[in-house]
Amino acid sequence: MPDGARIWICRDVVFTLGERTLVMGIVNVTPDSFSDGALFASAEDAVAHAARLVDDGADLVDVGGESTRPGSDPVEADEELRRVVPVIEGLAKARPGTPISVDTHKPEVARVALDAGACVVNDIAGGRDGRLLEIVSGARAGIVLMHMLGEPKTMQEDPRYDDVVAEVNEFLRERIEAAVFAGIPEERVCIDPGIGFGKNVDHNLALLRAVPTLRMLGAAVMVGASRKRFIGTLTGVEDPAARLEGSLAVAVLAAAHGADLVRVHDVQATVRALKVADAVVREPA
Ligand code: YH5
């Protein structure tokens, strides 16, 4: 990839990478989304929350209808669609032009969400389902390919690696190749080490230090650590919603290590922290 021309293309949206750290705001539309401090009683509440994240400076909003926190059970595609589609449609109306991502690993959910106006599929399964890659390819959408060891139900039961950085790096290299083979050019691909997805504290820290290595794969790099368990472990803060300082520390360090995007709950605070961090670490061309 030529220097100074890094971009991430998601349908009609072209994100310029490297100038500043882009922020993806999280909108969980699940009955157990207590890490947002509340359960969204209705699609309307979720749309209002998403609009607030946009007003706070989110570059894109990630709408998810399946809880993938450790120990979670899967949900059916139709239930996931009942949750996310009204929010995607509502946000497209409330804040026209906002890039919307759908957090799903199900091809049918991806297809309907793209039809409803999403431009990115954020796939925690790393594009392991070829049908999902075909759908993203056909829609000329962007994709986030995330690493996960195992599945949400059991992934935190003693995860083991010989070399976590090498194994995640190799997995993501193979998944980029599979995406490209399915007709998704590399400029539409973003990779993510999947902090907390089958990783203990040391695995997470090793991967956060390895962002420069992951960047060498050529795709955009996203880091999603906001409010996660390892931040609670390191700080002693049990309440996920009270893990702001630790989450900001990770976002700032991810930026310093060259991450292109961070996926966060606390958009306003993160955008402010990154304005300062980016001013220090992103040298003008
Ligand atoms: C991610 O890292 N994560 S869903 C447990 C928590 C807090 C938050 C309180 N989707 C990622 O956000 N997509 C999720 O404990 C993701 N990268 C990408 N690309 C899990 C989550 C969370 C889990």
Side-chain angles (χ1 to χ4, degrees):
M1 191 166 309
D3 262 14
R6 298 182 61 248
I7 51 176
W8 183 36
I9 307 173
C10 309
R11 304 184 106 165
D12 298 337
V13 182
V14 182
F15 293 103
T16 301
L17 308 177
E19 288 181 359
R20 63 183 180 84
T21 313
L22 302 177
V23 173
M24 172 186 267
I26 302 170
V27 177
N28 283 317
V29 201
T30 58
D32 62 356
S33 20
F34 53 81
S35 93
D36 287 321
L39 181 162
F40 295 119
S42 65
E44 248 168 88
D45 292 349
V47 171
H49 182 72
R52 168 74 197 271
L53 299 185
V54 174
D55 297 343
D56 286 346
D59 294 286
L60 69 166
V61 172
D62 189 40
V63 180
E66 176 174 53
S67 176
T68 48
R69 68 180 60 247
S72 296
D73 287 313
V75 300
E76 299 293 331
D78 59 349
E79 173 59 23
E80 204 178 322
L81 282 168
R82 267 196 295 278
R83 295 175 184 176
V84 299
V85 169
V87 178
I88 293 169
E89 290 175 346
L91 180 59
K93 256 200 190 129
R95 293 294 182 279
T98 301
I100 301 172
S101 156
V102 61
D103 189 343
T104 192
H105 56 93
K106 295 190 188 75
E108 51 273 53
V109 175
R111 185 176 48 75
V112 178
L114 290 168
D115 284 345
C119 68
V120 175
V121 177
N122 174 26
D123 180 13
I124 61 157
R128 277 182 268 196
D129 189 325
R131 292 169 301 170
L132 184 139
L133 295 178
E134 295 298 329
I135 286 160
V136 169
S137 172
R140 305 171 67 81
I143 189 165
V144 183
L145 300 170
M146 198 198 77
H147 176 274
M148 167 169 58
L149 183 70
E151 53 189 58
K153 188 79 185 159
T154 53
M155 65 190 177
Q156 289 306 99
E157 294 169 7
D158 193 24
R160 283 168 193 260
Y161 301 84
D162 287 325
D163 180 336
V164 66
V165 171
E167 288 169 41
V168 169
N169 192 63
E170 181 56 17
F171 173 86
L172 293 173
R173 199 184 58 72
E174 284 170 12
R175 299 326 300 156
I176 294 171
E177 223 172 72
V180 170
F181 190 75
I184 307 170
E186 197 165 17
E187 304 79 56
R188 296 205 185 102
V189 178
C190 179
I191 55 172
D192 184 325
I195 298 300
F197 283 85
K199 283 109 185 167
N200 64 27
V201 175
D202 288 339
H203 297 144
N204 288 326
L205 296 175
L207 289 167
L208 290 171
R209 293 182 196 112
V211 168
T213 303
L214 301 178
R215 267 197 59 158
M216 291 193 293
L217 292 170
V221 174
M222 179 181 297
V223 171
S226 182
R227 298 186 181 179
K228 283 183 180 173
R229 178 70 249 167
F230 81 106
I231 294 173
T233 304
L234 292 170
T235 58
V237 177
E238 264 307 309
D239 175 10
R243 294 177 185 157
L244 175 63
E245 301 87 347
S247 300
L248 293 175
V250 178
V252 164
L253 288 164
H257 283 103
D260 296 298
L261 300 104
V262 290
R263 180 182 176 277
V264 303
H265 301 84
D266 302 287
V267 170
Q268 185 178 64
T270 304
V271 166
R272 289 174 178 172
L274 288 174
K275 277 185 180 164
V276 178
D278 284 341
V280 176
V281 302
R282 310 262 178 197
E283 292 174 49

